[in-house]
Amino acid sequence: MNSVSPSSVQFIQSQEDLTPPDTKSRLHPGASEQENSWNGHYDLPEKSQQNESVDVDKIKVKLMTAWNNVKYGWVVKGRTNFSKTSPIFLLGRCYQFESKADPADTSREARDNQNAASAAVDLFRKDFGSRIWLTYRREFPQLEGSIWTTDCGWGCMLRSGQMLLAQGLLVHLLSRNWTWPDVLLSVESEAEPRSPSKSSITNWSNFDVFSSQLDRSRSLRHARGSTVTQARARTLRLDNPNSSKMDKEEEEHRKIISWFGDHPKAPFGVHQLVEYGKSSGKKAGDWYGPSIVAHIIKRAVEKAEDSESLGITVYVSQDCTVYKGDVVNLCEMQLKSGSVSDLEWKSVIILVPVRLGGETLNPVYMHCVKEILKLECCIGIIGGKPKHSLYFIGYQDDYLLYLDPHYCQPVVDVTKYNFLLESFHCISPRKLSFNKMDPSCTIGFYAKTKEDFENLCENVTKVLGSSPLKEKYPIFTFAEGCAQDYGLDERCICKPDTTVRISKSERAGKSKQSSTEEFVFL
């Protein structure tokens, strides 16, 4: 996940021309300097070594930050191809672009099918573009206890976890049917002209190449274009008869994004997530695994100031088992009336850290993952490929659909009124072959009501047992009762800090490591 290995940093540091003169003198003092620095106190050499160590760490962070900003600050324009005849599944929704009809057919039915396919493309683009996209950011306030002002190069799993939580909050506050009304305006402004094609392949261009660091003038034009887009969107909303409802939804949309802002007070921002990760032995600049991120998300929701009024909680499974009794106890709230029967249900996000194979994804689980992504209750999967976290939200054929956090953007001040939204939405779908997926991941589900939770248990259980290969060990299971009923009372409090960690000495040789050491699992 870290784009610059410590070994490469050590190589860079060995280059004389990259070390500032004043730093060289501190790191390599001459004999006369060493003699003059002694004043009779025996603890001064130790303090000098500590200062040198701090200076070295600062140089490492600055070099890694500069390199990562260049590496992830721009994206080469490319294309992602999709089959027109195979359905695309996106978080419980199915989009069929074209049926397998004769291209030479010019009947009315064929024309209707063509129009329906065009509409399906627009619906898919709007649905995909409405998912909240959270990426690397730079130039945000310094993370407490560190000198980091960017998560570029190390925070991709945190960003993937943010996206999964954001999707859960979108469904919770706006429903799965909600789409961002302005997203098609962004598509129109970014997309290239398309001409009719008889090919069985359709494609979308990926993000345009631009970087405020490498080309500030072009970034300024992008910001101006975003302002024009938002002004146009406001005009269209005013002309809409449902403008009051749209304004309310837009307010909720902005509020959700603001909760993930890159400043210390944002409840689900990187600053808070890094702080909650410290109890698991993690700190800014470390690699995070999908299991640890699941527990960090749980803590963040529990500690959020609006958690009670929000009416949502997070449950993390134990040893690949969801204990229904624990979920019910977590979600049922006794009302102020005090009546035993007067209970209110809290909506719940269920996170299930799993391992789908050894070093690589076991093919027997592929069918089950596909079926899970077809479910309306699924809010995505955080995982990725080795050393590279991604947020999976759908699939087509044998390719996963994902949102990629590996794009470094300038920080956006979400505390400002009417801040720009375009950088929080991606209009370019991307694919990854299933066989490249890292087996360590966390699957997310959402249930609004108790009935929804019961349906979730029933539907997911069917999916887990639906594999045509009838694998002996399902991905995970549901169990009646509570974890303590099975003698797991001590393990109910999951301690991610007991999982695999990578020491500095191990990181230096990470090219020889297996991917399991870079992902945290139960």
Side-chain angles (χ1 to χ4, degrees):
M1 268 179 260
N2 204 332
S3 61
V4 177
S5 66
S7 58
S8 62
V9 173
Q10 292 168 5
F11 173 79
I12 293 174
Q13 288 174 342
S14 68
Q15 307 303 307
E16 292 289 335
D17 56 337
L18 290 182
T19 309
D22 59 332
T23 305
K24 290 179 186 178
S25 63
R26 288 197 298 269
L27 295 179
H28 308 288
S32 60
E33 291 176 306
Q34 293 178 2
E35 292 172 2
N36 294 335
S37 66
W38 185 82
N39 61 358
H41 294 282
Y42 291 103
D43 59 335
L44 280 182
E46 183 179 350
K47 290 183 179 179
S48 177
Q49 290 176 359
Q50 291 176 352
N51 291 335
E52 290 174 5
S53 177
V54 171
D55 290 336
V56 170
D57 289 340
K58 287 182 178 179
I59 293 171
K60 283 184 179 181
V61 169
K62 288 180 180 178
L63 287 171
M64 291 172 67
T65 299
W67 169 246
N68 287 327
N69 284 344
V70 172
K71 181 176 181 180
Y72 297 113
W74 59 287
V75 179
V76 178
K77 192 172 183 180
R79 291 186 178 276
T80 301
N81 295 325
F82 292 88
S83 169
K84 288 183 178 179
T85 55
S86 297
I88 292 183
F89 292 92
L90 177 65
L91 296 177
R93 300 296 167 86
C94 178
Y95 296 93
Q96 181 76 52
F97 297 151
E98 284 186 10
S99 60
K100 297 181 179 179
D102 184 1
D105 189 355
T106 59
S107 65
R108 180 177 178 180
E109 183 179 356
R111 290 196 301 271
D112 290 342
N113 289 337
Q114 189 174 6
N115 293 334
S118 178
V121 170
D122 287 338
L123 287 173
F124 168 75
R125 291 167 73 90
K126 192 170 184 178
D127 192 2
F128 179 87
S130 298
R131 302 314 105 209
I132 293 178
W133 181 45
L134 298 164
T135 70
Y136 289 149
R137 296 282 175 173
R138 61 178 181 271
E139 301 162 8
F140 53 62
Q142 188 170 308
L143 293 167
E144 186 178 354
S146 75
I147 59 174
W148 291 99
T149 58
T150 177
D151 63 319
C152 192
W154 56 268
C156 54
M157 189 63 77
L158 291 176
R159 297 297 185 180
S160 296
Q162 283 182 321
M163 286 189 273
L164 183 141
L165 176 57
Q167 175 60 20
L169 293 173
L170 278 178
V171 177
H172 179 61
L173 297 175
L174 293 171
S175 86
R176 178 63 184 89
N177 295 324
W178 176 85
T179 54
W180 184 34
D182 303 352
V183 68
L184 289 184
L185 298 179
S186 300
V187 171
E188 291 171 6
S189 63
E190 297 283 346
E192 294 181 345
R194 288 181 295 165
S195 57
S197 172
K198 295 183 180 180
S199 171
S200 62
I201 301 294
T202 186
N203 54 59
W204 285 278
S205 58
N206 291 331
F207 336 100
D208 287 333
V209 178
F210 85 93
S211 169
S212 60
Q213 185 180 22
L214 301 179
D215 190 350
R216 295 186 180 275
S217 62
R218 189 169 184 184
S219 178
L220 181 61
R221 292 198 300 274
H222 175 81
R224 288 172 180 167
S226 298
T227 304
V228 171
T229 299
Q230 289 200 11
R232 181 182 171 194
R234 283 194 297 271
T235 303
L236 291 175
R237 278 200 297 273
L238 289 174
D239 295 337
N240 193 300
N242 296 322
S243 59
S244 60
K245 179 185 176 183
M246 292 175 68
D247 287 342
K248 185 177 180 181
E249 290 178 341
E250 183 67 9
E251 183 180 345
E252 292 285 354
H253 175 210
R254 285 181 173 276
K255 183 168 68 174
I256 292 171
I257 290 178
S258 70
W259 289 337
F260 296 89
D262 295 298
H263 61 88
K265 293 185 179 180
F268 310 128
V270 166
H271 292 75
Q272 290 292 340
L273 299 187
V274 169
E275 188 64 27
Y276 296 134
K278 290 179 180 178
S279 63
S280 301
K282 294 293 183 180
K283 63 182 184 301
D286 284 351
W287 293 319
Y288 293 75
S291 177
I292 278 186
V293 169
H295 289 275
I296 289 175
I297 290 172
K298 176 179 172 63
R299 292 192 201 106
V301 173
E302 289 173 346
K303 299 291 185 181
E305 291 182 4
D306 299 331
S307 61
E308 289 300 322
S309 60
L310 198 56
I312 193 170
T313 187
V314 175
Y315 171 85
V316 181
S317 70
Q318 308 298 319
D319 294 336
C320 299
T321 303
V322 176
Y323 294 96
K324 298 179 183 179
D326 286 333
V327 177
V328 171
N329 293 338
L330 192 63
C331 295
E332 284 186 342
M333 301 182 300
Q334 193 162 346
L335 300 180
K336 294 180 180 179
S337 62
S339 172
V340 176
S341 60
D342 198 4
L343 297 175
E344 183 180 354
W345 179 268
K346 254 189 175 183
S347 300
V348 61
I349 291 174
I350 298 174
L351 302 178
V352 187
V354 295
R355 183 83 188 173
L356 306 178
E359 293 302 308
T360 59
L361 178 73
N362 190 330
V364 301
Y365 294 120
M366 188 185 302
H367 172 81
C368 194
V369 172
K370 289 181 178 181
E371 293 300 311
I372 287 174
L373 289 170
K374 286 182 181 180
L375 297 174
E376 185 98 356
C377 60
C378 179
I379 57 174
I381 301 173
I382 56 174
K385 52 187 179 180
K387 309 179 184 67
H388 192 93
S389 175
L390 302 169
Y391 171 47
F392 298 118
I393 57 176
Y395 77 95
Q396 184 185 49
D397 295 327
D398 292 335
Y399 291 88
L400 287 154
L401 212 63
Y402 66 87
L403 285 168
D404 191 351
H406 296 85
Y407 181 46
C408 191
Q409 304 185 82
V411 69
V412 173
D413 186 356
V414 296
T415 63
K416 287 185 177 179
Y417 173 74
N418 213 28
F419 61 89
L420 297 179
L421 295 170
E422 276 72 13
S423 68
F424 296 99
H425 291 276
C426 175
I427 60 171
S428 305
R430 289 189 170 189
K431 298 193 304 183
L432 177 76
S433 174
F434 264 98
N435 58 27
K436 292 182 179 179
M437 177 185 178
D438 193 281
S440 185
C441 60
T442 291
I443 305 172
F445 301 95
Y446 169 80
K448 190 173 187 67
T449 65
K450 188 172 184 178
E451 183 181 358
D452 289 339
F453 172 65
E454 292 170 351
N455 291 334
L456 183 155
C457 295
E458 181 181 351
N459 294 332
V460 176
T461 300
K462 288 180 181 178
V463 165
L464 294 174
S466 67
S467 173
L469 299 178
K470 300 293 181 185
E471 64 271 12
K472 185 176 180 180
Y473 302 103
I475 292 179
F476 64 95
T477 61
F478 289 88
E480 300 293 338
C482 303
Q484 62 183 4
D485 299 336
Y486 297 83
L488 299 176
D489 49 334
E490 293 183 359
R491 297 172 70 179
C492 285
I493 305 174
C494 189
K495 298 178 181 178
D497 56 331
T498 61
T499 51
V500 177
R501 293 186 198 158
I502 309 171
S503 65
K504 291 182 180 179
S505 60
E506 289 171 327
R507 286 183 183 178
K510 74 172 187 176
S511 60
K512 297 180 181 180
Q513 292 177 352
S514 65
S515 66
T516 58
E517 290 182 289
E518 304 222 339
F519 286 85
V520 182
F521 47 93
L522 298 174

